């Protein structure tokens, strides 16, 4: 099936690991060009080496950028646009969770999470908007979590900031429709990525990974009976960016193995 992504330019905020990296890989498979960013230089180098298996130096742009820093975001997005002479797609995939109950979380952690899960998206959308308009339209895909609709007490900062982002995504889908920019969310449950690998290494380094994830799926009662894979999220993102999703905007696609119960 032709997804109409050949030569399109996709900018992936947080594309050096996990879901973002897998998405970059899939875009390259489809003949698109990709720009990826992250903060850690070593992770970035590894990501570039990985992506070079699917694309060439001409189709990959990578630069360090902290998405919570407006100047960094502007520099990265302008750099990608000038390298590829435009931008068609923005994927907001940067992030990591802070676990903690309300009284465990410091004000500084709240501010940091609001920056990461909220302002980072505002900065990226503002920076990419003129480029999408110049192309006559485009796509914005925000990665979210089932927690946005179903808060859990031990993940209070993630749940609250994600709910705000879900609301903002809806508004943006309406506001940017006038520029032919389609805005959607992909809502994740538990996906096996470096984020979870770091938790596994911290909490159960000696446990067999397959057993660890099977156990996690059981403890969290995931109806499909397993934790998801980054590739299963990336394919939804790529679909939303494709010509096949030309009338989908303002929607949220849950990619969580039926974990979410909210309507
Ligand atoms: N995996 C899950 O189960 C799950 C569930 C719900 C939601 N999510 C969300 O899905 C998204 C992808 O997560 P993942 O599981 O793929 O995590 P991951 O493997 O840890 O990847 C996160 C990516 O974001 C980058 N990043 C983090 N903070 C950043 C910052 N301030 N500036 C720039 N880049 C930053 C990381 O690079 P650096 O660290 O080098 O900056 C990395 O490239 C996140 O928003 C996460 O919250 C994941």
């Amino acid at each position: 099936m032709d997804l109409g992504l050949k030569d399109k330019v996709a900018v992936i905020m947080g594309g050096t690991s996990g879901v973002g990296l897998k998405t970059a890989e899939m875009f390259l498979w489809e003949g698109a060009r990709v720009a990826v960013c992250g903060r850690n230089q070593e992770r970035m180098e590894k990501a570039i080496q990985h992506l070079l298996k699917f694309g060439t130096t001409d189709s990959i742009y990578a630069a360090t950028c902290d998405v919570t820093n407006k100047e960094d975001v502007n520099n990265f997005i302008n750099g990608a646009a000038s390298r590829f002479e435009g931008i068609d797609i923005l994927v907001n995939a940067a992030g990591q969770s802070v676990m903690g109950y309300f009284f465990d979380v410091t004000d500084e952690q709240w501010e940091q999470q609001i920056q990461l899960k909220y302002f980072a998206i505002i900065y990226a959308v503002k920076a990419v908007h003129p480029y999408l308009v110049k192309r006559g339209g485009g796509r914005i895909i925000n990665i979210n979590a089932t927690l946005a609709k179903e808060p859990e007490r031990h993940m209070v900062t993630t749940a609250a900031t994600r709910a705000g982002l879900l609301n903002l995504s809806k508004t943006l889908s309406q506001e940017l429709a006038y520029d032919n920019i389609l805005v959607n969310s992909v809502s994740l449950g538990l996906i096996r990525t470096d984020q979870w690998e770091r938790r596994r290494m911290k909490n159960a380094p000696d446990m067999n990974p397959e057993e660890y994830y099977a156990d996690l799926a059981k403890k969290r009662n995931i109806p499909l009976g397993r934790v998801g894979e980054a590739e299963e999220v990336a394919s939804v993102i790529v679909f939303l960016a494709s010509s096949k999703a030309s009338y989908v905007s303002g929607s949220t696609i849950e990619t969580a193995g039926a974990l979410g119960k909210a309507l």
Side-chain angles (χ1 to χ4, degrees):
M1 194 190 331
D2 181 11
L3 296 179
L5 288 167
K6 189 157 169 25
D7 295 328
K8 296 281 184 195
V9 176
V11 169
I12 304 168
M13 310 306 285
T16 60
S17 164
V19 167
L21 181 60
K22 203 65 184 171
T23 303
E25 179 187 315
M26 276 198 190
F27 275 129
L28 288 170
W29 258 115
E30 294 300 326
R33 291 165 288 167
V34 295
V36 294
C37 77
R39 296 158 302 173
N40 182 289
Q41 185 68 41
E42 205 181 313
R43 215 172 350 258
M44 165 87 56
E45 296 299 336
K46 269 177 74 180
I48 296 170
Q49 289 315 312
H50 175 76
L51 292 176
L52 281 171
K53 293 182 206 151
F54 308 93
T56 65
T57 47
D58 287 343
S59 54
I60 301 162
Y61 174 82
T64 49
C65 157
D66 182 340
V67 297
T68 65
N69 180 313
K70 193 174 171 176
E71 206 183 324
D72 268 17
V73 172
N74 287 337
N75 288 340
F76 171 64
I77 289 180
N78 292 336
S82 101
R83 168 71 182 280
F84 295 132
E85 296 177 341
I87 296 173
D88 302 284
I89 300 152
L90 168 69
V91 179
N92 284 306
Q96 68 189 60
S97 295
V98 167
M99 291 209 188
Y101 294 89
F102 183 76
F103 289 107
D104 300 334
V105 182
T106 64
D107 290 353
E108 289 69 30
Q109 284 172 315
W110 269 108
E111 279 173 18
Q112 194 268 338
Q113 282 290 293
I114 292 168
Q115 279 294 326
L116 180 61
K117 307 268 171 70
Y118 207 77
F119 276 95
I121 286 86
I122 294 173
Y123 298 153
V125 170
K126 281 189 174 176
V128 90
H129 181 247
Y131 296 110
L132 300 187
V133 168
K134 228 183 231 175
R135 290 282 221 235
R139 305 292 167 90
I140 295 175
I141 296 136
N142 294 325
I143 306 309
N144 209 309
T146 52
L147 283 169
K149 287 187 180 176
E150 291 177 53
E152 286 183 33
R153 288 168 55 228
H154 73 291
M155 298 279 278
V156 63
T157 56
T158 297
T161 50
R162 291 305 194 186
L165 174 59
L166 200 60
N167 191 296
L168 176 67
S169 297
K170 196 66 159 179
T171 307
L172 285 174
S173 72
Q174 292 165 356
E175 176 122 4
L176 300 185
Y178 300 103
D179 297 320
N180 192 30
I181 297 168
L182 282 56
V183 184
N184 290 290
S185 305
V186 180
S187 191
L188 314 190
L190 271 70
I191 308 297
R192 183 173 172 168
T193 61
D194 290 10
Q195 191 169 174
W196 272 104
E197 275 299 278
R198 285 192 294 274
R199 276 180 206 152
R200 181 179 72 78
M201 291 308 284
K202 191 172 159 216
N203 302 327
D206 300 326
M207 196 166 170
N208 172 293
E210 302 314 317
E211 263 175 51
Y212 175 84
Y213 287 107
D215 195 46
L216 187 60
K218 207 168 170 186
K219 277 188 192 140
R220 299 293 180 94
N221 286 321
I222 300 176
L224 273 188
R226 63 179 176 84
V227 166
E229 301 291 335
E231 191 173 353
E232 295 176 298
V233 179
S235 45
V236 175
I237 298 170
V238 167
F239 162 71
L240 286 171
S242 77
S243 57
K244 301 294 173 199
S246 51
Y247 202 57
V248 183
S249 193
S251 78
T252 301
I253 300 189
E254 266 187 28
T255 310
L259 181 69
K261 291 176 197 72
L263 294 177

